[in-house]
Amino acid sequence: MSKVLLYKFILLLTLLLIGNHFIFAQDKFNLSAQLLVDKKVVYDAEVIVYKGKTTIAQTKTNKIGKFDVELPFQEVFVIQFKKEGLPVLKVLISTKVKDLEADLTKTKVVVFTLLSKNISSEGADAKDVSAAFQINKNGLLVEDNREFSKIVNNSEKEQVKTDNQVEILKDEVSNAISELPDSIRIPFKSKYDFLNLKMDSMLLLSEKHAALVLQTANLKSEEIIAKAFYSLPEAINSQKITSSSTIKKIDKELKNLAVKEETFNSRNDIKAYKLKLDKIESKSNMSKKDSLEYLETIVMFKDEMVKSAKMQLEIDKLNAKTRKDSVELQVREAQIFLVEKDIQEAKDKIAIQQLEIRQKNTMLLFSIIALLFFILVSILVYNSFRHKKRTNAILEKQNWEIANKNKKIIDSIRYAQTIQQAILPIKSNIDKYFDWFVIFQPKDIVSGDFYWFNHFEETGKSVFAVVDCTGHGVPGAFMSMIGNRLLIEAVKEKGIIKPIDILEEIDERIRIALMQDETSNNDGMDMCLCTLEYIDNNKCKVGFAGAKRPMFYSDIQNKKMEHIKGTVRGIGGKKRIREKSKKMFEEHNIVINRGEMIYLTSDGFFDLQSPNRKKFGRLNFMSLLEEQIHKPMQEQREAIMDALHLHKGSEFQIDDITILGIKV
């Protein structure tokens, strides 16, 4: 039980980690793209993402030219593609986005269709690009036909002109400030405040040029101008926010913007904003949602402050009389303009954060649903596992019982093999009279084939037989025991010598032993049997009779093999065949020279199949024997065995194989 609990804990922990990965993965823009060059898919191309001169990601396109990378928001990147046989290609990507109206998780796959003729120079900072893409308000990465590098160059030229104008404005502002009373001039003594005042005047008088400078700065990923002025507190990134310091900064701004502090702070909505800020700050651990709410409150607070400042500015403009008053109003109007810019930037930041929170909430909901689903699946898998375990235990017990029974059966069959080997002729008994060899290869442990020998000392006659009983394995082995006993009774006990008489006797005894006239038993056997009797030292008389099996003999002088066909009639077998006109067994008598070979076989070798389902056949067997007849017995046996294995290959043996070779 403890192992099961550990398994469930590991599974749940893994799912939580996967869920967290999905949640935090939304802090970056997931770019899924496909690369086409000259309208052809480019696979296995090297993809390198640069930010400036720094490599931030590296991957390769797959078999259909697709690749995936993660890019941070609000940045500009160069994606470089390299592959042997193609020029280096670059794509400019901007993830800067404002007023997003769609969910970035729904962005479709982007297809970069590039042309190989747009050859770019090497290096991450190369300005020549093949295409440029920008995220639009709908959250889609679309192609921007403007070349960013040219925009930057043009912007830099405009900035030079703007700088010249700023220098002129500096002189005018310096002259104006020198004429101010000491009470006004003192706050601007420091170099930083003096620079702010001049830049404020410049922004007021040349707002168009200032916006152009800001655009250039954004493309270069540098907040040159924005950082020179007052910015909203970074509540989202702060670990600890102090309300008193924030309120003090706002109060100071009220003075700079000439807003009546007492009247402004006495308003109910302003009091509510301050109370809300205090409430958020009182929390010991602020969440990202709390920080976002804090920033939204400050933005609303400053919106009201700007409205009051603008109203007061219009009143003061009506009351302005001197040039000094006009300069002061210009400075104050510039400050209002900067605060409005800061508020707009904060609103943009809030919109992005709200989008991220919505995305993460969606992913969190999805992760919870997925987690619940996986828990349910885990329960089902666990129950299935328990059921399978019980079933496996039952099957294991049954398999053990079957294996135990199989072992006992195999042991019994192996013992039967020992008995069957005992009824086969003893090698030394044949060695006394003949030079010979035998190939006896059962398909299974025991065989339906057997070979038989008997020698009559008083007459000098020898009897050889190879018998192929119906079936193989255990059934065939039982038939071989019956056949062996019937041969002993016919030849040894009754003294029958003629081959056809032996076959007829065994056929009759088989029908009686298996009660084939009264039952539907169809078992029987095929047999090739010969008798050998030496006429003199040079000649040997051979008598042969076969039941569906031939005898092969050699003609060494002519270097060829001959054969005598057996009678097309089996021993025993089907009753309906026996009831028809019975074909009598035929006996053949020949005289051969001493030193010739005689071969008796079952049909197992002839029917042996190759991997392409081709049988070995009688003609191939005779050709094989012709090549071996002049060789010693052992070499003949090895050659036949080699041919057997070569022909069979990886195929299984389909029948018992017996080949008996005798040299007369």
Side-chain angles (χ1 to χ4, degrees), residues 325-343:
D325 293 338
S326 298
V327 172
E328 287 181 6
L329 292 175
Q330 289 175 1
V331 171
R332 197 194 308 170
E333 191 170 3
Q335 289 177 338
I336 293 172
F337 175 78
L338 290 175
V339 172
E340 285 181 322
K341 289 288 185 183
D342 292 337
I343 291 172

Side-chain angles (χ1 to χ4, degrees), residues 607-616 646-652:
D607 293 339
L608 186 67
Q609 290 186 342
S610 65
N612 59 1
R613 297 290 184 270
K614 185 177 180 180
K615 292 183 179 181
F616 194 86
L646 182 63
H647 181 77
K648 180 169 71 72
S650 59
E651 291 296 304
F652 292 104

Side-chain angles (χ1 to χ4, degrees), residues 595-623:
E596 301 286 358
M597 292 293 302
I598 294 174
Y599 301 94
L600 304 176
T601 72
S602 65
D603 62 357
F605 191 27
F606 299 164
D607 293 339
L608 186 67
Q609 290 186 342
S610 65
N612 59 1
R613 297 290 184 270
K614 185 177 180 180
K615 292 183 179 181
F616 194 86
R618 177 176 58 83
L619 294 178
N620 287 335
F621 181 70
M622 291 180 68
S623 297

Side-chain angles (χ1 to χ4, degrees), residues 145-205:
N145 293 325
R146 298 173 304 167
E147 294 185 9
F148 285 19
S149 57
K150 289 184 179 179
I151 294 173
V152 172
N153 292 335
N154 294 336
S155 298
E156 288 174 346
K157 292 178 181 178
E158 292 295 328
Q159 187 177 2
V160 171
K161 295 180 181 179
T162 303
D163 290 340
N164 294 332
Q165 294 181 7
V166 169
E167 291 299 324
I168 297 171
L169 290 172
K170 281 182 182 179
D171 295 335
E172 292 179 4
V173 173
S174 298
N175 295 332
I177 290 176
S178 64
E179 297 175 2
L180 293 174
D182 292 341
S183 58
I184 299 175
R185 193 185 318 114
I186 291 173
F188 303 102
K189 284 184 178 180
S190 68
K191 185 177 180 180
Y192 179 80
D193 290 339
F194 187 66
L195 176 61
N196 274 346
L197 182 59
K198 289 189 291 183
M199 291 300 292
D200 288 345
S201 301
M202 183 277 293
L203 287 171
L204 180 63
L205 298 176

Side-chain angles (χ1 to χ4, degrees), residues 61 111 133 140 159 203 227 242 262 372 401 426 460 517 586:
T61 57
V111 180
F133 291 80
L140 299 176
Q159 187 177 2
L203 287 171
K227 289 184 179 180
T242 307
E262 184 177 350
L372 292 175
E401 291 175 353
I426 299 173
D517 292 335
E586 298 177 2

Side-chain angles (χ1 to χ4, degrees), residues 432-564:
K432 293 178 184 178
Y433 310 104
F434 298 98
D435 190 7
W436 69 293
F437 74 87
V438 67
I439 295 174
F440 183 68
Q441 189 164 319
K443 175 185 179 295
D444 301 311
I445 298 172
V446 290
S447 175
D449 287 4
F450 71 96
Y451 59 98
W452 195 84
F453 169 76
N454 186 64
H455 181 74
F456 295 95
E457 290 291 345
E458 59 274 14
T459 61
K461 278 190 176 184
S462 298
V463 180
F464 284 97
V466 170
V467 185
D468 184 357
C469 301
T470 301
H472 44 75
V474 174
F478 275 107
M479 284 297 297
S480 71
M481 298 292 287
I482 295 172
N484 183 76
R485 181 59 200 164
L486 294 179
L487 275 170
I488 292 173
E489 290 179 1
V491 178
K492 284 188 176 183
E493 296 178 2
K494 292 185 178 182
I496 301 174
I497 298 300
K498 285 181 66 63
I500 57 172
D501 294 340
I502 296 172
L503 296 185
E504 291 288 355
E505 175 67 16
I506 294 175
D507 179 67
E508 180 68 20
R509 299 294 293 172
I510 281 285
R511 288 193 299 106
I512 295 171
L514 300 180
M515 296 185 291
Q516 291 184 335
D517 292 335
E518 295 83 17
T519 67
S520 60
N521 183 280
N522 293 319
D523 294 327
M525 57 188 70
D526 299 339
M527 182 184 299
C528 48
L529 183 145
C530 68
T531 59
L532 303 177
E533 182 181 4
Y534 288 104
I535 300 173
D536 53 36
N537 291 334
N538 297 320
K539 301 289 183 180
C540 179
K541 181 181 178 182
V542 180
F544 167 74
K548 291 187 177 180
R549 296 304 307 148
M551 180 186 75
F552 301 91
Y553 64 95
S554 65
D555 183 353
I556 296 179
Q557 186 175 0
N558 295 318
K559 296 182 180 180
K560 66 177 183 177
M561 291 298 301
E562 301 288 351
H563 78 286
I564 302 172

Side-chain angles (χ1 to χ4, degrees), residues 234-262:
E234 296 288 340
I236 291 176
N237 299 321
S238 299
Q239 296 295 324
K240 182 65 178 176
I241 303 171
T242 307
S243 177
S244 58
S245 61
T246 302
I247 298 301
K248 284 179 181 179
K249 288 181 180 179
I250 294 175
D251 290 342
K252 185 178 179 181
E253 256 189 339
L254 289 171
K255 293 179 181 179
N256 293 336
L257 300 178
V259 178
K260 293 181 180 179
E261 185 177 350
E262 184 177 350

